[in-house]
Amino acid sequence: YITLHVENFARIRKADIELAPLTLFVGDNNSGKSYLASLIWGVLNLEFYSGVASPNKEEFKDLNDWICESMKQGKGTYRRKIKADDHQLINKFINIFLDKNKERLVNTTLHSSADIGHIALDIPFDESLSFVMNINNGFMENGDPNGNQKIEFFIAQNDDKVSPTFSCTNRDDVLQSLVAVYLLFFLKKKTSFFPASRTAFLLAFRSIIGESLDRRFFPQQGGDKEKDYKLSSPRASFVRLISDFDKDKKKFMCQCNKNTDSIVEFIEKHVIHGQIDLTDTPIPDIVYRPEGFDEYLPMYLSSSIVTEIAPFLACLKYDNIGDRCIIEEPEISLHPGLQWKMAQVLIRIVNSICPVIVSTHSDTIIQHVNNMIKLANRDDGLELAKEYDYENEDIISSDKIRVYQFDVDLKDHLTDVKLMEHGYNGFRVPTFGVMIREIHDQIWAFQIDVDEENAKKKNNQFPSNAT
């Protein structure tokens, strides 16, 4: 999996985050989990890479020679196996760009001048990948005055196309475009971000949009820049996400062409106990119909359970979830029993839709993940799962999961990010285990012996000096 290396970022001393299908952030409050999740969103956001300069053709000599030789041969399809050297050069090229633009990355992502010492990506090499070029017309040395030159290219895995098709008409742009399409294959196209306090955003997003329009188009009518909401880019993307639903889109089908209807139905049946829908307004509102009722309720009359989950559920239901999602504290407002169900939802999404990054304070979510790992490791796991009403898509193996604990050093108040170990019974997470043990110890230390207490009360009812 892709690994993000960060050093001296905000209060985080160092972190090496491998973006597994399910990546979990746990640990202290105010330790940098949201900061790092936001930075990951920024790194995965391809718009940031629009300023990437053209690679040095001398450094990429082998790849550039293949491009030139293919062009000389003219119209046709040309395939080149991506070599380890090609991969290393592209990875190095991207990291040079990231390091040179790390302050811009932080500023555009967080709208803050937080410090960052070093940032780099380690993209895994896949020897099954190839560059494929389709040249529709021969490239003339001096250019085609009729403008008919065209080249299309994509990445194939074995014989299957696995990336979008890029095209260009300028031979000088081909090398740069090949690097871009390679990056696109690994970083995907869209990462959705679901911040904590989703209820506040859901109830206020129309005001945010309205004030943004006032500041942009009607400053003379009260568009005061001092009233700017100052949202970070991931949170602004969330506001855009919940204001961009299209009720006419095909329901229950996400962009990666995996059927999501069972997950939507599971959430509606077992978590919010009702259904959500969209209004028929130009900017649709999410509404909620509880089980047993005929009318839909607006969000401001719905419980916090519904308002916290509704944006995520609506994205699943109306084809807006993206290719990867980051969810902060999915357990907010949920009873421990519903946190258990939410953990089940997260695993199903990972197994059938897209990778998920989660920051959480819920030991219930971690324990459920561990339980599903136990089933994956047992020879009788499928039979046991069926006995406890789990499906195959509820089970997950530990190799698909990475858990990172954020620990604040009380001496310098910097955060150390540690990869948690796992075994046959899942991940050991000290941040929860220590507190649970301490609470358990206090329960028994403070426990009142009921029989002894009743005996005392009985003896005190008739004292020896009573008349």
Side-chain angles (χ1 to χ4, degrees), residues 234-250:
R235 286 158 179 76
S237 76
F238 174 70
V239 174
R240 176 180 292 178
L241 194 68
I242 61 178
S243 62
D244 194 33
F245 290 119
D246 186 350
K247 194 173 182 179
D248 294 329
K249 277 187 177 181
K250 183 179 180 182

Side-chain angles (χ1 to χ4, degrees), residues 195-198 304-305 308-309 328-334 339:
S197 303
R198 291 173 286 278
S304 59
I305 291 175
E308 285 295 328
I309 292 178
E328 292 189 321
E329 301 177 31
E331 71 275 7
I332 289 178
S333 296
L334 298 184
Q339 294 180 32

Side-chain angles (χ1 to χ4, degrees), residues 63-91:
L63 186 57
N64 191 61
D65 286 348
W66 171 72
I67 294 171
C68 293
E69 185 62 32
S70 300
M71 289 178 178
K72 288 180 182 179
Q73 297 180 54
K75 187 175 181 179
T77 298
Y78 305 92
R79 181 183 297 264
R80 170 189 166 93
K81 199 86 167 174
I82 299 177
K83 303 174 183 178
D85 289 346
D86 299 332
H87 172 83
Q88 291 171 6
L89 281 172
I90 294 174
N91 204 153

Side-chain angles (χ1 to χ4, degrees), residues 74-270:
K75 187 175 181 179
T77 298
Y78 305 92
R79 181 183 297 264
R80 170 189 166 93
K81 199 86 167 174
I82 299 177
K83 303 174 183 178
D85 289 346
D86 299 332
H87 172 83
Q88 291 171 6
L89 281 172
I90 294 174
N91 204 153
K92 175 185 173 183
F93 174 72
I94 294 303
N95 284 331
I96 290 173
F97 171 80
L98 276 175
D99 204 51
K100 285 183 177 179
N101 293 274
K102 58 192 176 187
E103 288 83 7
R104 180 167 72 89
L105 172 62
V106 172
N107 288 335
T108 56
T109 301
L110 302 178
H111 294 168
S112 166
S113 57
D115 294 332
I116 182 166
H118 178 66
I119 183 170
L121 283 173
D122 183 7
I123 299 174
F125 172 61
D126 187 339
E127 61 183 7
S128 67
L129 300 179
S130 300
F131 285 125
V132 179
M133 290 201 305
N134 289 324
I135 300 177
N136 298 324
N137 297 87
F139 275 70
M140 299 172 60
E141 285 297 325
N142 297 321
D144 185 346
N146 297 321
N148 293 324
Q149 302 172 345
K150 188 176 181 182
I151 183 169
E152 297 177 341
F153 40 88
F154 56 86
I155 291 177
Q157 190 167 35
N158 299 321
D159 293 325
D160 299 323
K161 177 183 173 183
V162 291
S163 80
T165 299
F166 274 45
S167 63
C168 66
T169 57
N170 187 338
R171 64 182 300 162
D172 292 333
D173 294 337
V174 176
L175 180 59
Q176 182 177 6
S177 299
L178 280 177
V179 170
V181 76
Y182 192 65
L183 182 67
L184 178 63
F185 169 74
F186 284 100
L187 299 189
K188 306 298 183 183
K189 294 184 296 183
K190 177 182 176 183
T191 299
S192 53
F193 191 97
F194 297 90
S197 303
R198 291 173 286 278
T199 296
F201 285 102
L202 187 61
L203 298 181
F205 81 94
R206 287 184 178 275
S207 296
I208 295 173
I209 294 172
E211 289 211 12
S212 297
L213 290 173
D214 283 344
R215 287 195 306 275
R216 177 66 179 84
F217 295 105
F218 308 105
Q220 71 280 7
Q221 297 181 18
D224 188 353
K225 291 185 177 181
E226 295 301 320
K227 295 181 179 179
D228 192 346
Y229 282 96
K230 304 292 185 184
L231 296 178
S232 65
S233 291
R235 286 158 179 76
S237 76
F238 174 70
V239 174
R240 176 180 292 178
L241 194 68
I242 61 178
S243 62
D244 194 33
F245 290 119
D246 186 350
K247 194 173 182 179
D248 294 329
K249 277 187 177 181
K250 183 179 180 182
K251 296 181 181 180
F252 308 126
M253 190 65 68
C254 113
Q255 292 174 339
C256 53
N257 296 321
K258 294 290 186 180
N259 200 319
T260 62
D261 59 343
S262 64
I263 298 177
V264 170
E265 291 171 3
F266 182 90
I267 296 173
E268 291 184 332
K269 181 178 180 180
H270 296 288

Side-chain angles (χ1 to χ4, degrees), residues 391-455:
E391 306 291 339
N392 287 357
E393 59 264 32
D394 292 317
I395 302 173
I396 190 167
S397 60
S398 56
D399 65 315
K400 288 186 175 182
I401 306 170
R402 299 294 182 273
V403 179
Y404 295 92
Q405 181 168 298
F406 289 58
D407 292 325
V408 178
D409 188 329
L410 296 180
K411 293 181 180 179
D412 56 16
H413 304 289
L414 295 179
T415 297
D416 295 305
V417 182
K418 301 174 183 176
L419 175 65
M420 295 292 96
E421 297 179 355
H422 64 85
Y424 286 107
N425 290 320
F427 290 84
R428 292 182 294 175
V429 183
T431 187
F432 296 139
V434 169
M435 292 307 302
I436 290 172
R437 192 177 304 113
E438 185 174 332
I439 292 171
H440 177 271
D441 290 344
Q442 289 190 16
I443 288 172
W444 286 105
F446 303 162
Q447 187 82 5
I448 296 172
D449 189 316
V450 177
D451 292 335
E452 181 180 335
E453 189 67 18
N454 287 338

Side-chain angles (χ1 to χ4, degrees), residues 44-55:
L44 297 177
N45 179 12
L46 284 172
E47 293 180 9
F48 173 71
Y49 299 93
S50 59
V52 175
S54 180

